Amino acid sequence: PITVAIYALVTAAAILRLLAPLTGGLTLPVLSASGVAGCVAYGTFAILYGRVLVQPAAVRAPATPI
């Protein structure tokens, strides 16, 4: 469920960034909301998957040639 929220935040950030020029005087707040959504998505990803990404790879037996 948290991964789905990360994807939703990334999608929302992209859509807001695309719609920002069409909002007239609200361009800066919409771009700011887009940036916040992107930062929250990245931060959540780093907290959730950071440990998995920085630990050493699992040791496997060497592959035997055919």
Side-chain angles (χ1 to χ4, degrees):
I2 296 176
T3 304
V4 175
I6 293 170
Y7 278 111
L9 284 168
V10 169
T11 303
I15 290 172
L16 286 171
R17 189 169 300 248
L18 289 172
L19 294 177
L22 307 175
T23 59
L26 295 175
T27 301
L28 189 58
V30 173
L31 282 175
S32 296
S34 171
V36 168
C39 288
V40 170
Y42 179 74
T44 306
F45 178 85
I47 291 169
L48 189 63
Y49 294 107
R51 182 180 300 173
V52 175
L53 295 174
V54 297
Q55 69 185 9
V59 178
R60 297 182 184 164
T64 56
I66 296 175

